[in-house]
Amino acid sequence: MKVSLKWLSDYVDVPSDIKEFCDRLDLTGTGVEGVETLGAAFDGVVVGYVETCEEHPDSDHMHVVTVNVGGEEPVQIVCGAPNIAQGIKVPVATVGAVLPGDFKIKKSKLRGVVSCGMCCSKRELGLGTDHEGIWILPEEAVVGMPIAEYMGLTDTVLDLEITPNRPDCLSMVGFAREVGAMYGRDWCEPAAELEEAGEAVSDAVSVEIAEADRCPRYTARLIKDVKVGPSPEWLVERLTAIGQRSVNNIVDVTNYVLFELGQPLHTFDFDTLDLKDGRAHIVVRAAEDGEKLVTLDGTERELTSDMTVIATPKRAVALAGVMGGLDSEVTNATVNVLLETAAFEPGRTSRTSRNLGLISESSLRYERRVDDTGIDARADYAASLIAEVAGGTVCKGLVDVWPGKNDAPRMLEFRIERFQKMMGADIPVDFIVDCLSRLGCGVAEAAEGVLSIEAPTFRPDLEREIDLYEEVLRLYGMDRIPSTLPAGRGRLGVRTPRQVVDAKLHAALSACGMNETMTYSFAAADDLEKLRMSEEGLGEAAALINPMNADQCCMRRTIIPGLLRSVAYNQSRGVANIQLYEMGTVFFAHEGSQKPKERRKLAGVLAGAMGDASWNSAPAAFDFFDGKGVLESIARELALPKVRFKALSAEEAPHLQPGRAAQMLAGGDVIGWVGEIHPLAAEAFDASAPIVAFELDMAALERTCRPARDYVDVPQFPAVERDAAFVVDESVTHEKLMQCMSSAGGKLLEDVRLFDVYRDEERVGAGKKSMAYSLTYRAADRTLTSEEVDKAHERLVKKACAATGAEVRG
């Protein structure tokens, strides 16, 4: 919300030190997103006096004028306004000035005549809608004075972030109350005298609320014989300061009250409303499914039954709390105005505005809850302002339908000693009472050390005693609370088992040269289709009710698409070698619950190569075995038991390259998968293959990891090495041979290492391959003899051949 300090100073004494004021706001929970100095937008626009005015030699509607702008010499300007004349004062944009819409004034030629500036209308300056001619200033305007200074537009505007639980601060008066509480200063509310005359409103208007839960309160006032036209300067100035465009005096008053009091208003052309029993009849009801309404922006909207409309007996005339209808809007021909001041149910207003894409200042306030207490006073104030700026007569009385009235006060207890102990500071009782009183609470002493607090109706967030503690603490200043250590003997901070696992994973992945990243938890609906990944085991996608855009319409079920987008982003900017990992949450819909189920995952990608090319060699590109090596490092760091990799077929993992994909298992649990991303999947994300990826289940890692590795003593006796080469069918895997040799080798076999794979149709045979292994034998208690090793090796080879159909290659 934008807050004009000049406007705010009408209600409370504003601190002069703007920086200190902004810092204090940040500390009390109101974020300051920006500070703007008004008047800077009108740099180069000054008051000018037209000394001469002659017709353009080559145009029948333009004039050549010389204008005194307070400089040494007058400037020549070509002007097409019909009301330009000698002897008048006008706003002049000199060369170099930038007008609203980023329109820069330059020295130019118009039909052969040099023009060094522009005489401006109100609309060109963004100060109104009048564009019939240039803006003629009064005689007392000082030539050469900056137009911002002349208009009193020199102001400081704060752009504030108001949290959703503080609807009371979405107005000048509400924010003045907050500033008064922050600095212990008195503040005031605007006052206006309402003069009523003529017939009673109830004789001309009737109101019916069909469903009380949709509209807690609705009031209507009637102002007759108004004259719709431009707003007075003071009103235009105030709206312009907070970034609002002046429309006409009636609309400007509704916007003014919206920002001053936080009360959205709507005005109808009374004479366009349908009658019932001789009176204009307003019905607040649910829209019908498929019902149509043309809103003020000229768009025909199709409504649903979840939406609330303001209707007459024949048709809907407005979307409650969101936007009015085109056929009942106030125009220049309007004479009689019906003023709506109401409160609508927040949830439906929020859904309606978002579903129709009609988010406005009014809907923003309604969806955060407008206080229905005091609506009648705000209606009176708005009616008096309309009568002031547009003339007319305010009819007697107010039609007020209030089915949601609740006279029971919200009473809370404030235990002073408990508060002081909880805060860890001896905050004075006088400060507590003064603070809560200035925030609008009713404060009384209920018992010794206990205060009875009546929460104001405009503060729906004050529901519990702890909420009052928070209010006092934030105004007292959390920076003033002394730092203390938590009490308790022998209390030590330790990591949880999950934190221990996370730390080990970060260390292992960093040692592998990988960098941590973070991608969006939102995903596109077709991410899995683009990735070619099967949805089996991933559950249903958790769709977002109000997505930011089509590419982020649901929650992610895998981290890989986000990482592939990061790879594509880096590759498109010339980064060749990319090693990224992310530890994050994936989501899937949970039947019978509105909340999605969550699961933690660890995913990584490797693209390019490890290291840069040197003058005499190029590094090998990442492949499947690099990804497998990362997972083996993780397994070693977490001491995972019985780790093995099982090959995945193209049917099991269509998103991975066939023959370059594997499932990781440990201790009987499936940990995850690793492989090279299929080129078509990489292309779908605009990334260049080859890309190695892996994704592991964090819950499985936490289940299977062990607190420490098994201890192995330093060998005291020498090892004996033997080699064995097996000729096997192409279908026999390295894993199968390893299992056979490990089982047959017994306790003497210490290590097995594959060092060669050889294929040759003539020497090995078609459909065959030779796999050569280096085997290490060692005994823990003695030096092995050649006979022992030969016997163990012969038994191992025999069993491996029998189990796999292998032949020993000579």
Side-chain angles (χ1 to χ4, degrees):
M1 186 184 81
K2 291 185 181 294
V3 171
S4 160
L5 297 189
K6 186 176 179 181
W7 188 354
L8 184 66
S9 62
D10 285 356
Y11 317 116
V12 69
D13 184 13
V14 179
S16 57
D17 188 334
I18 303 301
K19 184 180 184 308
E20 187 276 334
F21 182 39
C22 293
D23 291 342
R24 184 74 183 275
L25 287 172
D26 281 323
L27 290 173
T28 55
T30 303
V32 180
E33 296 186 330
V35 180
E36 179 184 1
T37 302
L38 291 188
F42 298 106
D43 284 350
V45 183
V46 299
V47 175
Y49 175 74
V50 180
E51 295 184 342
T52 65
C53 177
E54 299 176 357
E55 292 185 358
H56 193 290
D58 193 24
S59 172
D60 59 357
H61 69 279
M62 290 194 292
H63 295 81
V64 180
V65 298
T66 55
V67 185
N68 179 2
V69 293
E72 295 182 0
E73 298 289 336
V75 296
Q76 178 174 286
I77 297 174
V78 177
C79 179
N83 62 338
I84 189 70
Q86 183 179 354
I88 61 173
K89 292 182 179 179
V90 297
V92 178
T94 57
V95 174
V98 180
L99 299 183
D102 200 28
F103 179 59
K104 188 172 184 179
I105 304 300
K106 301 176 182 178
K107 182 179 179 179
S108 60
K109 282 188 176 182
L110 295 176
R111 296 199 178 182
V113 178
V114 175
S115 181
C116 299
M118 186 173 82
C119 300
C120 303
S121 68
K122 283 189 176 183
R123 193 172 78 174
E124 287 162 341
L125 294 174
L127 298 174
T129 58
D130 185 9
H131 195 55
E132 295 300 320
I134 56 168
W135 181 14
I136 300 177
L137 302 174
E139 282 292 326
E140 59 268 19
V142 179
V143 173
M145 176 183 286
I147 199 69
E149 182 180 345
Y150 169 75
M151 287 290 297
L153 295 178
T154 51
D155 191 2
T156 300
V157 177
L158 305 183
D159 190 359
L160 303 179
E161 180 187 7
I162 306 298
T163 54
N165 67 321
R166 293 299 306 277
D168 59 300
C169 282
L170 286 172
S171 66
M172 290 292 177
V173 169
F175 190 65
R177 182 192 302 112
E178 176 76 3
V179 173
M182 286 167 54
Y183 290 95
R185 298 174 181 177
D186 294 334
W187 62 280
C188 64
E189 294 189 76
E193 292 186 8
L194 177 64
E195 295 183 5
E196 298 176 318
E199 66 176 320
V201 179
S202 57
D203 293 338
V205 180
S206 61
V207 173
E208 174 189 346
I209 297 178
E211 297 179 38
D213 63 325
R214 292 176 178 266
C215 178
R217 190 177 187 184
Y218 192 100
T219 70
R221 269 201 172 274
L222 181 59
I223 305 98
K224 288 192 169 184
D225 301 322
V226 300
K227 184 177 180 181
V228 179
S231 295
E233 298 297 339
W234 68 268
L235 183 53
V236 174
E237 177 189 331
R238 294 236 157 144
L239 293 177
T240 302
I242 56 173
Q244 297 298 306
R245 181 177 61 87
S246 175
V247 179
N248 60 51
N249 47 10
I250 305 296
V251 174
D252 288 355
V253 165
T254 62
N255 286 333
Y256 179 81
V257 174
L258 168 71
F259 287 100
E260 186 180 37
L261 302 181
Q263 174 65 60
L265 305 169
H266 185 66
T267 52
F268 300 94
D269 186 330
F270 177 75
D271 297 316
T272 64
L273 303 177
D274 300 315
L275 304 180
K276 179 182 180 182
D277 299 329
R279 297 184 295 175
H281 186 61
I282 296 294
V283 182
V284 184
R285 61 168 174 82
E288 297 176 3
D289 286 322
E291 186 174 2
K292 302 291 179 63
L293 173 67
V294 180
T295 48
L296 286 172
D297 58 0
T299 303
E300 185 178 67
R301 312 280 179 178
E302 184 172 336
L303 311 181
T304 67
S305 58
D306 186 52
M307 301 173 182
T308 303
V309 294
I310 312 301
T312 64
K314 294 182 179 180
R315 70 197 194 285
V317 292
L319 267 173
V322 179
M323 185 176 283
L326 186 64
D327 59 357
S328 62
E329 74 167 324
V330 173
T331 66
N332 289 337
T334 298
V335 176
N336 302 314
V337 171
L338 181 71
L339 175 65
E340 167 196 284
T341 314
F344 298 109
E345 195 270 320
R348 285 190 176 89
T349 305
S350 177
R351 291 192 295 273
T352 300
S353 63
R354 280 160 173 74
N355 290 339
L356 296 179
L358 290 174
I359 299 174
S360 63
E361 293 288 349
S362 292
S363 66
L364 177 68
R365 283 159 178 79
Y366 275 127
E367 68 185 43
R368 296 188 181 190
R369 194 175 298 279
V370 169
D371 180 23
D372 56 3
T373 303
I375 278 183
D376 51 344
R378 290 171 226 144
D380 292 349
Y381 179 69
S384 68
L385 285 181
I386 290 176
E388 178 186 335
V389 302
T393 302
V394 180
C395 293
K396 294 178 181 178
L398 173 80
V399 177
D400 188 354
V401 182
W402 194 358
K405 187 174 184 179
N406 182 9
D407 293 325
R410 192 164 8 117
M411 302 303 299
L412 301 171
E413 190 178 68
F414 193 106
R415 290 167 285 181
I416 295 171
E417 185 178 355
R418 179 175 182 263
F419 166 72
Q420 292 174 337
K421 285 183 177 179
M422 187 177 289
M423 299 303 109
D426 188 18
I427 299 176
V429 178
D430 290 345
F431 177 84
I432 296 171
V433 172
D434 182 67
C435 172
L436 293 174
S437 299
R438 290 184 182 278
L439 287 172
C441 297
V443 183
E445 187 173 355
E448 183 66 30
V450 179
L451 299 176
S452 176
I453 309 297
E454 181 180 346
T457 56
F458 54 78
R459 288 297 301 272
D461 58 316
L462 300 183
E463 297 178 331
R464 304 168 299 163
E465 183 180 4
I466 198 69
D467 297 328
L468 300 175
Y469 291 2
E470 181 185 357
E471 290 300 295
V472 176
L473 178 62
R474 70 181 184 84
L475 294 178
Y476 180 77
M478 286 183 280
D479 54 320
R480 296 171 62 187
I481 303 296
S483 300
T484 56
L485 290 173
R489 293 182 179 180
R491 182 175 292 175
L492 299 175
V494 295
R495 286 177 172 174
T496 63
R498 170 179 285 190
Q499 290 172 330
V500 171
V501 171
D502 289 356
K504 287 182 177 181
L505 287 171
H506 287 306
L509 291 164
S510 296
C512 291
M514 301 192 72
N515 302 295
E516 187 179 11
T517 187
M518 182 181 292
T519 60
Y520 285 114
S521 295
F522 305 129
D526 62 346
D527 270 359
L528 291 186
E529 182 182 345
K530 289 167 64 177
L531 187 58
R532 298 164 55 92
M533 180 179 280
S534 170
E535 295 192 26
E536 185 178 349
L538 297 179
E540 292 292 326
L544 296 175
I545 295 175
N546 182 33
M548 292 186 290
N549 54 61
D551 292 333
Q552 296 180 332
C553 63
C554 59
M555 304 301 290
R556 67 183 179 186
R557 288 181 280 173
T558 172
I559 300 176
I560 298 300
L563 292 176
L564 290 180
R565 289 188 176 94
S566 295
V567 170
Y569 181 88
N570 281 275
Q571 287 178 338
S572 67
R573 285 155 178 79
V575 181
N577 303 327
I578 304 155
Q579 296 151 263
L580 301 173
Y581 77 93
E582 179 178 356
M583 194 181 295
T585 306
V586 297
F587 309 82
F588 55 92
H590 186 45
E591 188 175 350
S593 174
Q594 292 183 343
K595 293 183 178 180
K597 200 166 184 179
E598 301 181 12
R599 186 177 295 160
R600 294 178 76 225
K601 295 279 187 178
L602 172 65
V605 289
L606 300 94
M610 176 67 79
D612 299 319
S614 64
W615 67 272
N616 62 350
S617 64
F622 286 122
D623 59 17
F624 166 80
F625 295 102
D626 292 297
K628 180 172 175 282
V630 172
L631 268 55
E632 287 171 339
S633 297
I634 289 174
R636 186 167 52 253
E637 190 67 27
L638 296 182
L640 300 181
K642 298 180 182 179
V643 175
R644 65 188 186 92
F645 292 88
K646 175 187 173 184
L648 290 173
S649 65
E651 290 76 20
E652 293 173 309
H655 60 293
L656 301 176
Q657 279 272 55
R660 303 177 191 177
Q663 188 179 61
M664 180 182 183
L665 300 99
D669 269 353
V670 175
I671 304 298
W673 57 264
V674 60
E676 294 184 24
I677 295 293
H678 198 286
L680 293 178
E683 183 182 351
F685 287 92
D686 299 322
S688 301
I691 300 171
V692 182
F694 61 84
E695 190 167 47
L696 310 179
D697 182 51
M698 289 294 296
L701 285 174
E702 291 165 15
R703 273 196 312 271
T704 54
C705 72
R706 295 183 293 175
R709 302 187 190 94
D710 293 332
Y711 173 74
V712 179
D713 203 354
V714 177
Q716 296 182 8
F717 299 96
V720 179
E721 293 192 355
R722 292 283 190 273
D723 292 343
F726 300 98
V727 177
V728 295
D729 293 336
E730 282 286 357
S731 60
V732 177
T733 63
H734 165 66
E735 181 186 31
K736 177 66 175 176
L737 273 172
M738 287 290 291
Q739 287 176 345
C740 294
M741 288 187 286
S742 297
S743 174
K747 294 182 178 180
L748 296 184
L749 183 64
E750 182 181 74
D751 184 47
V752 181
R753 181 175 60 85
L754 175 69
F755 67 85
D756 183 51
V757 178
Y758 176 70
R759 293 177 176 85
D760 189 305
E761 289 190 7
E762 294 183 2
R763 298 184 179 183
V764 178
K768 301 282 187 178
K769 61 183 175 183
S770 171
M771 303 181 72
Y773 293 88
S774 173
L775 299 95
T776 303
Y777 296 91
R778 192 195 306 267
D781 57 350
R782 67 188 186 281
T783 299
L784 293 174
T785 63
S786 296
E787 290 78 10
E788 287 180 295
V789 175
D790 290 342
K791 186 177 179 180
H793 186 67
E794 184 179 342
R795 182 172 63 250
L796 180 148
V797 171
K798 185 176 180 181
K799 287 188 176 181
C801 290
T804 62
E807 296 179 0
V808 177
R809 182 179 169 213

